[in-house]
Amino acid sequence: MASHTGRLRRILRRMGASSRSLSSLSGRRVAVGMSGGVDSAMAAYLLKKDGADVVGVHMSNWDSSDEVGFCDGEEELQMARRVCSFLEIDLVETSFINEYWTLVFQDLLDGLQKGVTPNPDVLCNRHIKFNQMLHFARDRLGAELLATGHYARIESQCSDDGCCSYPSLKMPKDKNKDQTYFLSRVRQEVLGDIIFPLADYLKPKVREMARELEFPNKDKRSSAGICMVGRRRFDTFINEYLENKSG
């Protein structure tokens, strides 16, 4: 990692970027949600570079055993393993299949039946990533904080007398990749246990850094599709779970 660290510092200087927000994490245990994508990989890299004790967590929360022709989940897992091996960090695998179905997917189906369009990514972030995974990271892995590759920031305002406000969700530097909407229903009481290392980075620069550092997923396209389900042709996929209605 020493040679990689030197290369990253040169990249950061050239970009005018700063990782000062991570400077207080030295020695602290931080779990990083590893999706297999370049953003979570870079988040883990930046945390490790700044001295955090990083452990990766990969969730496989969708049971595709009854589907034919889809292997997104297995491909993502294999890439997460490759990235963690490259970064020389442990990867812990877990799943919350029942919780995802009950708290996210069933809500999506119920909404569609009523003629509304719930956003499963919003529900997934609230109930799964920043609830179930956060508790798993704390209780099973001994992590103080949970990090992901989301483009957002968490801030607290402190006065001169040392009094600080509750953490709140703010927009990131990259307004084109702003993901605060998808995080808008994460409970405020857990924001103090979350960190977004990419808050001050632009996505094109993250991609550039990944290529210069030769990440194994440097050219992997950004994720899309339903949270934890992956890329599907939505109408065909959803009809497997809903009864057709006339009108």
Side-chain angles (χ1 to χ4, degrees):
M1 289 296 292
S3 61
H4 290 176
T5 299
R7 292 171 65 186
L8 179 59
R9 285 173 178 164
R10 292 193 294 272
I11 295 169
L12 294 178
R13 283 197 297 269
R14 186 169 68 251
M15 291 164 46
S18 170
S19 57
R20 287 176 296 177
S21 61
L22 307 180
S23 61
S24 63
L25 297 177
S26 180
R28 300 177 70 183
R29 181 107 164 137
V30 182
V32 183
M34 303 297 294
S35 66
V38 69
D39 294 328
S40 61
M42 186 58 67
Y45 184 92
L46 291 170
L47 289 165
K48 182 170 183 179
K49 182 193 79 70
D50 278 87
D53 175 17
V54 178
V55 58
V57 182
H58 180 83
M59 297 187 300
S60 303
N61 297 332
W62 181 254
D63 186 356
S64 58
S65 59
D66 60 342
E67 295 183 66
V68 178
F70 293 104
C71 55
D72 296 68
E74 183 60 28
E75 291 175 357
E76 296 292 336
L77 173 57
Q78 293 301 325
M79 182 57 75
R81 288 173 176 167
R82 288 182 61 193
V83 168
C84 288
S85 177
F86 175 82
L87 296 176
E88 299 179 351
I89 63 175
D90 291 334
L91 178 67
V92 179
E93 299 166 24
T94 187
S95 69
F96 303 103
I97 292 175
N98 292 335
E99 293 88 346
Y100 182 85
W101 180 275
T102 302
L103 299 172
V104 179
F105 197 69
Q106 189 61 57
D107 192 279
L108 171 65
L109 298 180
D110 292 344
L112 292 173
Q113 291 276 31
K114 297 173 183 176
V116 298
T117 52
N119 190 308
D121 288 356
V122 173
L123 296 174
C124 182
N125 284 326
R126 176 181 173 88
H127 296 299
I128 306 301
K129 290 181 182 177
F130 300 105
N131 184 24
Q132 300 292 337
M133 184 166 70
L134 176 60
H135 287 294
F136 177 84
R138 285 175 180 163
D139 301 340
R140 298 287 296 276
L141 305 180
E144 296 182 54
L145 297 167
L146 174 65
T148 67
H150 284 94
Y151 288 84
R153 75 172 69 247
I154 296 172
E155 290 184 353
S156 295
Q157 299 297 324
C158 297
S159 61
D160 293 338
D161 60 5
C163 295
C164 298
S165 63
Y166 287 106
S168 57
L169 190 65
K170 302 291 184 181
M171 294 179 68
K173 179 177 181 178
D174 193 333
K175 301 304 185 288
N176 292 323
K177 287 292 293 181
D178 176 22
Q179 293 175 303
T180 52
Y181 168 73
F182 301 102
L183 298 163
S184 59
R185 291 191 61 189
V186 174
R187 295 175 180 84
Q188 186 184 45
E189 59 263 29
V190 305
L191 292 181
D193 299 321
I194 299 168
I195 185 170
F196 299 126
L198 304 186
D200 293 317
Y201 292 86
L202 301 177
K203 177 58 180 269
K205 295 302 181 182
V206 168
R207 182 74 70 178
E208 177 186 334
M209 291 161 64
R211 287 171 176 158
E212 291 202 25
L213 293 165
E214 299 182 354
F215 278 18
N217 59 353
K218 60 184 183 295
D219 293 318
K220 185 178 182 297
R221 65 179 178 176
S222 298
S223 60
I226 301 174
C227 177
M228 299 299 173
V229 176
R231 296 176 184 270
R232 300 288 192 277
R233 177 166 173 170
F234 186 77
D235 55 348
T236 303
F237 168 73
I238 210 67
N239 281 336
E240 296 182 25
Y241 301 94
L242 293 177
E243 295 182 8
N244 289 325
K245 293 184 177 180
S246 59

